[in-house]
Amino acid sequence: MKILVTGGLGFIGSHTVVALLEKDYEVIIIDNLSNTSIDVLEGITRITGKTPEFHQIDIRNKSALSRFFDEQPDIEGIIHFAAFKAVGESVEKPLDYYENNVAALVYLLKESCKLNQPKFIFSSSCTVYGQAEKLPITEDAPVQKANSPYGNTKQIDEEIIQDFINSGANLQAISLRYFNPIGAHPTALIGELPIGVPQNLVPFVAQTAARKREVLSVFGDDYPTEDGTCIRDYIHVMDLAEVHVIALEKLIEKDYSKPYDVFNVGTGKGNSVLDVVKTFEKVNNLKVPHKIVDRRPGDVTAAYADTTKVESVLGWKAQRTMADALKDAWRWEQKQQ
Ligand code: WQD
């Protein structure tokens, strides 16, 4: 079965490609390499012994995308990762985010009409909930006004997919609302490649441990939580990769007829920023210099998933712990120069 993975050389995309190849799917990757490196393809090959077909295509380029789909009529599934994902950057460059995360999705869905009953998995985010009233967060928690253009693009994308399906499109879709993906493949052959100063917590912690960063700034310890720092649901990227394959297989199942569904994907456990720092230090037997600074605008106090639906409908539960992910993240960081 031929599966297109857009953004397939990115952090979550590359780990999902590995999971697909290990289940003997035929994978085609398109990626514009704007936020990754072609070396990731070698990492995938070394892990799986297979080299997926790769095309350097920018999904904002309508004609290139159209030519690609004209040559690939037998694609049966699309897993769409290609998007910009930095919350802070989206505030500075909103039009880039609406073009790449929204307009390009429209082009992709239009091209999907050339396929026969394609299955579509969309990479969404718990950001759509903002600060949820109730924790843990279920899928019927209200989608709140986004705190950033990035979060808004994910909300708009989900609506575009639903409207497209409601219009009678021959496409079935599942949106996966990720919580906080962390870690790396245990071989350390692929992992998170933040370009420039990491925006996310775990890559910054790892680079501080590697003395690439002098000190980790903890953005606020005056939140209404046990230790005053924000709480998130940190999920191992390999667990996240595996649920994409399970979601795709659910869409392929004969007796599954739902045109569209949404799943929260997390571990169901919340950990604070200081929990992450302390666990990273403990499992890797090192120190991470850190200091408390002001809150980061836009941060929510706490977000962690209610995993009832993904467990009962997809039969999936995270297998790896945050400690596993922080060990893998450090092993990966030590491989970087
Ligand atoms: C986690 C916690 C920070 C950096 C975002 C997106 C989400 C997804 C993951 C794409 C927060 C604190 C962070 C630092 C810190 N993006 N922190 N010092 O903001 O929960 O989620 O990234 O898939 O959609 O919204 O993740 O890792 O940036 O922050 O104290 O140097 O760590 O304040 O509490 P976030 P994050």
Side-chain angles (χ1 to χ4, degrees):
M1 191 171 189
K2 200 185 249 192
I3 306 297
L4 168 63
V5 181
T6 74
L9 292 186
F11 175 38
I12 306 164
S14 56
H15 289 80
T16 302
V17 166
V18 165
L20 285 165
L21 292 173
E22 288 178 343
K23 300 255 341 231
D24 292 328
Y25 286 93
E26 184 186 350
V27 175
I28 302 186
I29 296 171
I30 61 176
D31 199 307
N32 69 356
L33 300 180
S34 68
N35 194 20
T36 184
S37 147
I38 189 66
D39 298 344
V40 173
L41 193 57
E42 187 199 335
I44 291 169
T45 302
R46 287 177 59 190
I47 292 169
T48 63
K50 302 172 186 171
T51 302
E53 191 178 331
F54 168 69
H55 299 258
Q56 184 171 352
I57 291 174
D58 189 319
I59 57 174
R60 292 168 292 188
N61 182 334
K62 286 167 78 169
S63 51
L65 199 62
S66 184
R67 274 196 305 280
F68 171 80
F69 274 89
D70 288 346
E71 292 151 17
Q72 306 280 351
D74 50 351
I75 286 172
E76 296 181 66
I78 299 173
I79 305 183
H80 179 41
F81 292 105
F84 293 150
K85 63 166 193 171
V87 173
E89 184 188 53
S90 76
V91 176
E92 290 149 33
K93 304 176 182 170
L95 296 186
D96 291 353
Y97 273 69
Y98 287 111
E99 182 184 38
N100 196 42
N101 293 13
V102 179
L105 170 71
V106 172
Y107 305 152
L108 187 62
L109 291 174
K110 281 187 168 187
E111 291 304 322
S112 77
C113 298
K114 297 175 181 172
L115 305 175
N116 172 29
Q117 305 262 331
K119 311 300 178 191
F120 193 85
I121 306 288
F122 176 63
S123 163
S124 190
S125 170
C126 64
T127 313
V128 302
Y129 297 114
Q131 177 55 70
E133 296 297 308
K134 232 164 66 46
L135 292 169
I137 304 174
T138 61
E139 287 79 0
D140 50 25
V143 169
Q144 303 201 56
K145 172 140 182 42
N147 284 338
S148 68
Y150 163 78
N152 202 26
T153 65
K154 291 300 177 183
Q155 290 181 11
I156 294 167
D157 284 352
E158 289 191 10
E159 288 165 8
I160 288 171
I161 295 166
Q162 288 182 82
D163 288 347
F164 179 52
I165 288 173
N166 294 341
S167 72
N170 73 348
L171 172 131
Q172 264 184 298
I174 281 178
S175 288
L176 298 176
R177 290 174 178 167
Y178 309 157
F179 281 69
N180 287 59
I182 62 169
H185 193 272
T187 60
L189 289 168
I190 54 174
E192 191 165 8
L193 272 176
I195 297 188
V197 179
Q199 300 296 307
N200 293 131
L201 177 65
V202 171
F204 204 107
V205 166
Q207 289 191 10
T208 306
R211 304 273 176 273
K212 284 181 190 163
R213 308 287 163 199
E214 201 189 315
V215 62
L216 167 75
S217 296
V218 173
F219 297 142
D221 69 347
D222 57 350
Y223 285 92
T225 61
E226 207 175 307
D227 65 15
T229 64
C230 296
I231 291 172
R232 296 289 184 276
D233 183 333
Y234 295 96
I235 174 172
H236 196 298
V237 65
M238 286 305 295
D239 278 324
L240 188 56
E242 287 158 11
V243 74
H244 283 79
V245 182
I246 291 170
L248 180 70
E249 290 174 344
K250 175 57 77 176
L251 288 177
I252 298 166
E253 260 175 37
K254 277 188 302 306
D255 56 2
Y256 182 84
S257 59
K258 228 173 162 185
Y260 180 71
D261 210 348
V262 179
F263 295 92
N264 284 351
V265 179
T267 65
K269 295 182 196 62
N271 277 286
S272 75
V273 175
L274 289 178
D275 287 339
V276 170
V277 174
K278 292 192 176 80
T279 307
F280 191 96
E281 291 180 327
K282 182 160 169 277
V283 299
N284 296 311
N285 192 21
L286 47 75
K287 279 297 181 209
V288 177
H290 56 280
K291 63 181 179 182
I292 308 294
V293 300
D294 291 341
R295 293 183 175 192
R296 179 173 69 174
D299 275 334
V300 297
T301 300
Y304 50 95
D306 179 310
T307 56
T308 310
K309 185 178 176 186
V310 71
E311 286 179 23
S312 57
V313 177
L314 297 187
W316 171 88
K317 187 172 170 51
Q319 301 300 308
R320 300 160 179 90
T321 62
M322 183 174 84
D324 297 329
L326 294 174
K327 259 189 227 145
D328 292 337
W330 178 234
R331 198 178 302 115
W332 164 253
E333 177 57 43
Q334 290 176 289
K335 294 276 295 282
Q336 309 312 305
Q337 45 291 67

